[in-house]
Amino acid sequence: MSRVIAIANQKGGVGKTTSAVNLAAGLADQDKKVLVVDLDPQVSLTLCMGFREPDKLDHSITEVISAVVNDDELPEGFGIIRVRDNLDLLPSNINLSAAEVSLVNAMSRELVLRTYMEQIRSQYDYVLIDCMPSLGILTVNAHACADSVLVPVQAAYLPVKGLQQLIKTTYTVKRRLNNNLSIEGILFTMVDRRTVYAKEIVSEVNEVYGKSIPIFPIEIPMSVRASETSQMAKTIYDYDPKGKAASAYSELTREVLEHGC
Ligand code: ADP
Ligand code: MG
């Protein structure tokens, strides 16, 4: 059975895309068939996967959304690029912003991505959706078609208020659109355990949410090597296989595998 995980936090720069790339690669290395969907017009995931000129790609999530809105039939595998064994990408491009605006008047606008996901999910063990930093209609679409939401939280600023908003959205979507939705877990990213601040934030989030929401035991450490992977378009396992970020992402992969399916 396939599992669809939305990676979401309306704050930018918290490690959503980095986590999508490395969790996807980790799952693919464990012989799972994985699709990653770039649902951000800033195209970071598409770039990180090595596609330097997203506007030159023939198709993207933008055309997929338009096709569903227009009730057009999509050819099999439309827009999907094979990145390597077990790992496919549905890229994004800048026009996704316009597609988001066009959704406003679409019928069942919150369920457009779900209609698509129902067509393709059986081909994969995992589909990871890298959301944009907002709680707009595309992020709601991701929630409406996902089995769970993975929430990266950067342990470097006070995240509690933002988290409340995100969790409220998740539960609203669950109640109104997608009964199956759960929270996969809060994932602390860019954790620098040498700072008092990071420790305080981790313990505050644990205190406020620990009883009601799963929190991944593994934390992703702050790592210069990890920050370099985005520019190098490499996974952390290829770029710094023996580093602490690579072993943290391997552990995250194990934890996600244990949760699911
Ligand atoms: P988001 O998708 O939430 O906007 P990104 O994954 O793009 O966040 O990460 C934001 C920035 O932080 C990027 O420049 C990325 O390279 C960097 N980064 C991600 N993870 C780490 C980490 N563990 N340590 C240090 N820098 C990181
Ligand atoms: Mg991103």
Short mmCIF file of all heavy atoms in Angstrom, two decimals, residues 7 9 11-22 40 42 44-45 48 130-133 152 154 188-191 220-231 236 245 249, ligand 1:
data_model
loop_
_atom_site.label_atom_id
_atom_site.label_comp_id
_atom_site.label_asym_id
_atom_site.label_seq_id
_atom_site.Cartn_x
_atom_site.Cartn_y
_atom_site.Cartn_z
N ILE A 7 5.16 17.37 3.20
CA ILE A 7 6.17 17.98 4.06
C ILE A 7 5.86 19.46 4.10
O ILE A 7 5.99 20.16 3.08
CB ILE A 7 7.59 17.67 3.52
CG1 ILE A 7 7.75 16.14 3.45
CG2 ILE A 7 8.66 18.33 4.38
CD1 ILE A 7 9.09 15.65 2.97
N ASN A 9 5.39 23.33 6.28
CA ASN A 9 5.50 24.34 7.33
C ASN A 9 5.41 25.67 6.60
O ASN A 9 6.11 25.86 5.60
CB ASN A 9 6.84 24.21 8.07
CG ASN A 9 6.92 25.15 9.27
OD1 ASN A 9 6.35 26.24 9.25
ND2 ASN A 9 7.64 24.74 10.30
N LYS A 11 6.45 28.39 7.30
CA LYS A 11 7.67 29.20 7.39
C LYS A 11 8.67 28.66 6.36
O LYS A 11 8.81 27.46 6.21
CB LYS A 11 8.22 29.08 8.81
CG LYS A 11 9.52 29.79 9.04
CD LYS A 11 9.48 30.67 10.27
CE LYS A 11 10.81 31.37 10.54
NZ LYS A 11 11.35 32.15 9.44
N GLY A 12 9.34 29.59 5.67
CA GLY A 12 10.37 29.18 4.71
C GLY A 12 11.69 28.93 5.42
O GLY A 12 11.90 29.39 6.55
N GLY A 13 12.56 28.19 4.79
CA GLY A 13 13.92 28.01 5.30
C GLY A 13 14.02 27.13 6.53
O GLY A 13 14.96 27.24 7.32
N VAL A 14 13.06 26.22 6.72
CA VAL A 14 13.09 25.37 7.92
C VAL A 14 13.58 23.95 7.62
O VAL A 14 13.62 23.10 8.51
CB VAL A 14 11.70 25.30 8.62
CG1 VAL A 14 11.28 26.68 9.12
CG2 VAL A 14 10.65 24.70 7.70
N GLY A 15 13.90 23.69 6.35
CA GLY A 15 14.42 22.36 6.01
C GLY A 15 13.42 21.43 5.35
O GLY A 15 13.65 20.22 5.30
N LYS A 16 12.33 21.98 4.80
CA LYS A 16 11.34 21.13 4.11
C LYS A 16 11.98 20.44 2.90
O LYS A 16 11.92 19.22 2.76
CB LYS A 16 10.14 21.97 3.61
CG LYS A 16 9.24 22.48 4.69
CD LYS A 16 8.03 23.23 4.11
CE LYS A 16 8.38 24.56 3.47
NZ LYS A 16 8.91 25.56 4.38
N THR A 17 12.58 21.25 2.03
CA THR A 17 13.10 20.70 0.78
C THR A 17 14.27 19.75 1.05
O THR A 17 14.34 18.65 0.48
CB THR A 17 13.51 21.85 -0.16
OG1 THR A 17 12.35 22.64 -0.41
CG2 THR A 17 14.07 21.34 -1.47
N THR A 18 15.16 20.15 1.95
CA THR A 18 16.31 19.30 2.29
C THR A 18 15.82 17.96 2.84
O THR A 18 16.36 16.91 2.53
CB THR A 18 17.20 20.03 3.32
OG1 THR A 18 17.51 21.32 2.81
CG2 THR A 18 18.47 19.27 3.59
N SER A 19 14.77 18.01 3.66
CA SER A 19 14.23 16.77 4.23
C SER A 19 13.54 15.94 3.15
O SER A 19 13.67 14.71 3.15
CB SER A 19 13.25 17.09 5.36
OG SER A 19 13.93 17.78 6.39
N ALA A 20 12.84 16.60 2.22
CA ALA A 20 12.19 15.86 1.12
C ALA A 20 13.24 15.12 0.29
O ALA A 20 13.10 13.93 0.00
CB ALA A 20 11.38 16.82 0.24
N VAL A 21 14.31 15.82 -0.07
CA VAL A 21 15.37 15.23 -0.90
C VAL A 21 15.98 14.02 -0.19
O VAL A 21 16.11 12.94 -0.78
CB VAL A 21 16.48 16.27 -1.19
CG1 VAL A 21 17.71 15.60 -1.78
CG2 VAL A 21 15.96 17.36 -2.11
N ASN A 22 16.34 14.19 1.05
CA ASN A 22 17.12 13.14 1.73
C ASN A 22 16.26 12.00 2.26
O ASN A 22 16.71 10.86 2.28
CB ASN A 22 17.98 13.76 2.83
CG ASN A 22 19.06 14.64 2.22
OD1 ASN A 22 19.86 14.16 1.42
ND2 ASN A 22 19.07 15.92 2.56
N ASP A 40 6.14 23.82 -5.02
CA ASP A 40 6.57 25.17 -4.66
C ASP A 40 7.06 25.88 -5.92
O ASP A 40 7.98 25.39 -6.58
CB ASP A 40 7.73 25.05 -3.64
CG ASP A 40 8.16 26.41 -3.11
OD1 ASP A 40 7.74 27.44 -3.67
OD2 ASP A 40 8.93 26.44 -2.14
N GLN A 42 8.90 28.19 -6.20
CA GLN A 42 10.32 28.56 -6.09
C GLN A 42 11.25 27.45 -6.57
O GLN A 42 12.47 27.62 -6.57
CB GLN A 42 10.64 28.93 -4.65
CG GLN A 42 10.03 30.26 -4.25
CD GLN A 42 10.33 30.61 -2.80
OE1 GLN A 42 11.43 30.39 -2.32
NE2 GLN A 42 9.34 31.12 -2.12
N SER A 44 12.78 24.89 -5.60
CA SER A 44 14.00 24.45 -4.91
C SER A 44 14.21 22.94 -5.05
O SER A 44 15.33 22.49 -5.28
CB SER A 44 13.93 24.76 -3.42
OG SER A 44 13.54 26.06 -3.22
N LEU A 45 13.14 22.18 -4.89
CA LEU A 45 13.30 20.72 -4.96
C LEU A 45 13.76 20.29 -6.35
O LEU A 45 14.66 19.45 -6.49
CB LEU A 45 11.97 20.03 -4.60
CG LEU A 45 12.00 18.50 -4.68
CD1 LEU A 45 12.78 17.91 -3.53
CD2 LEU A 45 10.59 17.93 -4.69
N CYS A 48 17.34 21.08 -6.58
CA CYS A 48 18.13 20.17 -5.74
C CYS A 48 18.25 18.78 -6.36
O CYS A 48 19.20 18.05 -6.09
CB CYS A 48 17.50 20.01 -4.35
SG CYS A 48 17.76 21.43 -3.31
N ASP A 130 6.67 18.19 -1.41
CA ASP A 130 7.42 19.30 -0.83
C ASP A 130 6.59 20.58 -0.98
O ASP A 130 6.48 21.13 -2.09
CB ASP A 130 8.77 19.45 -1.55
CG ASP A 130 9.64 20.52 -0.92
OD1 ASP A 130 9.48 20.81 0.28
OD2 ASP A 130 10.49 21.08 -1.65
N CYS A 131 5.97 21.03 0.11
CA CYS A 131 5.03 22.15 0.04
C CYS A 131 5.75 23.49 0.02
O CYS A 131 6.89 23.61 0.45
CB CYS A 131 4.07 22.12 1.23
SG CYS A 131 2.95 20.72 1.20
N MET A 132 5.05 24.51 -0.45
CA MET A 132 5.58 25.87 -0.44
C MET A 132 5.38 26.47 0.96
O MET A 132 4.57 25.96 1.76
CB MET A 132 4.89 26.72 -1.49
CG MET A 132 3.43 26.95 -1.21
SD MET A 132 2.77 28.25 -2.24
CE MET A 132 2.49 27.39 -3.74
N PRO A 133 6.11 27.54 1.25
CA PRO A 133 5.96 28.14 2.59
C PRO A 133 4.72 29.02 2.70
O PRO A 133 4.80 30.23 2.80
CB PRO A 133 7.25 28.97 2.75
CG PRO A 133 7.70 29.26 1.37
CD PRO A 133 7.20 28.15 0.48
N PRO A 152 8.78 19.84 9.42
CA PRO A 152 10.11 20.25 9.86
C PRO A 152 10.03 21.57 10.64
O PRO A 152 9.32 22.50 10.23
CB PRO A 152 10.89 20.47 8.55
CG PRO A 152 10.05 19.86 7.48
CD PRO A 152 8.64 19.96 7.96
N GLN A 154 12.57 24.39 12.48
CA GLN A 154 13.95 24.81 12.72
C GLN A 154 14.09 25.23 14.17
O GLN A 154 13.36 26.10 14.65
CB GLN A 154 14.28 25.97 11.80
CG GLN A 154 15.73 26.37 11.88
CD GLN A 154 16.03 27.59 11.04
OE1 GLN A 154 15.17 28.10 10.33
NE2 GLN A 154 17.25 28.09 11.15
N PHE A 188 12.67 18.15 14.19
CA PHE A 188 13.56 19.29 14.45
C PHE A 188 14.72 19.25 13.46
O PHE A 188 15.34 18.20 13.25
CB PHE A 188 14.10 19.23 15.88
CG PHE A 188 13.05 19.51 16.91
CD1 PHE A 188 12.58 18.50 17.75
CD2 PHE A 188 12.51 20.78 17.03
CE1 PHE A 188 11.59 18.76 18.68
CE2 PHE A 188 11.52 21.06 17.97
CZ PHE A 188 11.07 20.04 18.79
N THR A 189 14.96 20.40 12.85
CA THR A 189 16.04 20.50 11.86
C THR A 189 17.03 21.58 12.28
O THR A 189 16.69 22.47 13.08
CB THR A 189 15.49 20.88 10.47
OG1 THR A 189 14.83 22.14 10.60
CG2 THR A 189 14.51 19.85 9.93
N MET A 190 18.23 21.49 11.72
CA MET A 190 19.27 22.52 11.96
C MET A 190 19.48 22.73 13.45
O MET A 190 19.58 23.86 13.92
CB MET A 190 18.91 23.84 11.28
CG MET A 190 18.75 23.69 9.78
SD MET A 190 18.36 25.24 9.00
CE MET A 190 17.08 24.72 7.88
N VAL A 191 19.52 21.64 14.18
CA VAL A 191 19.64 21.72 15.63
C VAL A 191 21.12 21.88 16.01
O VAL A 191 21.95 21.06 15.61
CB VAL A 191 19.09 20.45 16.31
CG1 VAL A 191 19.22 20.54 17.82
CG2 VAL A 191 17.64 20.22 15.91
N ILE A 220 17.67 16.53 13.21
CA ILE A 220 18.66 16.77 12.16
C ILE A 220 19.61 17.87 12.65
O ILE A 220 19.17 18.98 12.96
CB ILE A 220 17.99 17.21 10.83
CG1 ILE A 220 16.85 16.26 10.44
CG2 ILE A 220 19.04 17.33 9.73
CD1 ILE A 220 17.23 14.82 10.22
N PRO A 221 20.88 17.57 12.76
CA PRO A 221 21.80 18.57 13.29
C PRO A 221 22.11 19.68 12.29
O PRO A 221 22.00 19.48 11.09
CB PRO A 221 23.07 17.75 13.58
CG PRO A 221 22.99 16.60 12.66
CD PRO A 221 21.54 16.30 12.42
N MET A 222 22.48 20.82 12.82
CA MET A 222 23.01 21.90 11.99
C MET A 222 24.29 21.38 11.36
O MET A 222 25.13 20.79 12.04
CB MET A 222 23.31 23.09 12.91
CG MET A 222 23.92 24.28 12.23
SD MET A 222 22.73 25.08 11.15
CE MET A 222 21.89 26.13 12.31
N SER A 223 24.42 21.57 10.06
CA SER A 223 25.61 21.03 9.38
C SER A 223 25.92 21.86 8.14
O SER A 223 25.05 22.05 7.27
CB SER A 223 25.32 19.57 8.99
OG SER A 223 25.93 19.23 7.79
N VAL A 224 27.13 22.38 8.11
CA VAL A 224 27.55 23.18 6.95
C VAL A 224 27.49 22.31 5.69
O VAL A 224 27.06 22.75 4.63
CB VAL A 224 28.99 23.72 7.16
CG1 VAL A 224 29.49 24.43 5.91
CG2 VAL A 224 29.02 24.66 8.35
N ARG A 225 27.89 21.06 5.82
CA ARG A 225 27.88 20.15 4.67
C ARG A 225 26.44 19.98 4.16
O ARG A 225 26.23 19.94 2.95
CB ARG A 225 28.46 18.78 5.05
CG ARG A 225 29.84 18.84 5.63
CD ARG A 225 30.87 19.21 4.61
NE ARG A 225 31.30 18.08 3.83
CZ ARG A 225 32.04 18.16 2.73
NH1 ARG A 225 32.40 19.35 2.28
NH2 ARG A 225 32.39 17.09 2.08
N ALA A 226 25.49 19.90 5.09
CA ALA A 226 24.08 19.78 4.65
C ALA A 226 23.65 21.02 3.88
O ALA A 226 22.97 20.94 2.87
CB ALA A 226 23.17 19.55 5.86
N SER A 227 24.09 22.20 4.36
CA SER A 227 23.67 23.43 3.67
C SER A 227 24.30 23.52 2.29
O SER A 227 23.75 24.15 1.39
CB SER A 227 24.02 24.66 4.51
OG SER A 227 25.41 24.84 4.53
N GLU A 228 25.42 22.87 2.10
CA GLU A 228 26.08 22.91 0.77
C GLU A 228 25.41 21.99 -0.24
O GLU A 228 25.57 22.19 -1.45
CB GLU A 228 27.56 22.50 0.91
CG GLU A 228 28.38 23.58 1.60
CD GLU A 228 29.75 23.08 2.07
OE1 GLU A 228 30.05 21.88 1.97
OE2 GLU A 228 30.53 23.91 2.55
N THR A 229 24.67 20.99 0.24
CA THR A 229 24.09 20.01 -0.70
C THR A 229 23.11 20.66 -1.67
O THR A 229 23.02 20.24 -2.82
CB THR A 229 23.33 18.88 0.03
OG1 THR A 229 22.36 19.46 0.89
CG2 THR A 229 24.27 17.99 0.81
N SER A 230 22.38 21.71 -1.22
CA SER A 230 21.38 22.33 -2.10
C SER A 230 22.06 22.86 -3.38
O SER A 230 21.57 22.63 -4.48
CB SER A 230 20.66 23.49 -1.41
OG SER A 230 20.42 23.18 -0.07
N GLN A 231 23.15 23.58 -3.21
CA GLN A 231 23.85 24.14 -4.39
C GLN A 231 24.47 23.03 -5.24
O GLN A 231 24.53 23.13 -6.45
CB GLN A 231 24.99 25.07 -3.97
CG GLN A 231 24.55 26.44 -3.51
CD GLN A 231 24.24 26.45 -2.02
OE1 GLN A 231 24.44 25.45 -1.34
NE2 GLN A 231 23.74 27.57 -1.53
N ILE A 236 22.65 14.20 0.86
CA ILE A 236 23.65 14.23 1.93
C ILE A 236 24.43 12.91 1.97
O ILE A 236 25.59 12.87 2.33
CB ILE A 236 22.99 14.55 3.30
CG1 ILE A 236 24.02 14.88 4.37
CG2 ILE A 236 22.06 13.44 3.76
CD1 ILE A 236 24.75 16.15 4.19
N ALA A 245 24.78 14.65 9.59
CA ALA A 245 23.48 14.89 8.95
C ALA A 245 23.05 13.65 8.15
O ALA A 245 21.87 13.29 8.14
CB ALA A 245 23.53 16.12 8.06
N TYR A 249 19.60 11.60 8.74
CA TYR A 249 18.58 11.36 7.71
C TYR A 249 18.36 9.85 7.49
O TYR A 249 17.25 9.43 7.17
CB TYR A 249 18.90 12.11 6.42
CG TYR A 249 18.35 13.53 6.45
CD1 TYR A 249 19.18 14.64 6.42
CD2 TYR A 249 16.97 13.75 6.53
CE1 TYR A 249 18.67 15.93 6.47
CE2 TYR A 249 16.45 15.03 6.59
CZ TYR A 249 17.29 16.12 6.55
OH TYR A 249 16.77 17.40 6.62
P1 ADP B 1 12.60 25.10 3.15
O1 ADP B 1 12.32 24.13 2.06
O2 ADP B 1 11.77 24.88 4.38
O3 ADP B 1 12.52 26.51 2.68
P2 ADP B 1 15.37 24.27 2.87
O4 ADP B 1 15.40 22.80 2.96
O5 ADP B 1 15.45 24.88 1.51
O6 ADP B 1 14.11 24.85 3.65
O7 ADP B 1 16.54 24.80 3.82
C1 ADP B 1 16.78 26.20 3.97
C2 ADP B 1 18.28 26.46 3.94
O8 ADP B 1 18.89 25.81 5.05
C3 ADP B 1 18.96 25.93 2.68
O9 ADP B 1 19.94 26.82 2.27
C4 ADP B 1 19.56 24.61 3.14
O10 ADP B 1 20.71 24.28 2.39
C5 ADP B 1 19.89 24.91 4.59
N1 ADP B 1 19.86 23.69 5.44
C6 ADP B 1 18.97 22.68 5.37
N2 ADP B 1 19.22 21.74 6.31
C7 ADP B 1 20.31 22.16 6.99
C8 ADP B 1 21.07 21.64 8.10
N3 ADP B 1 20.77 20.47 8.68
N4 ADP B 1 22.13 22.36 8.55
C9 ADP B 1 22.44 23.54 7.97
N5 ADP B 1 21.77 24.09 6.93
C10 ADP B 1 20.72 23.42 6.44
#
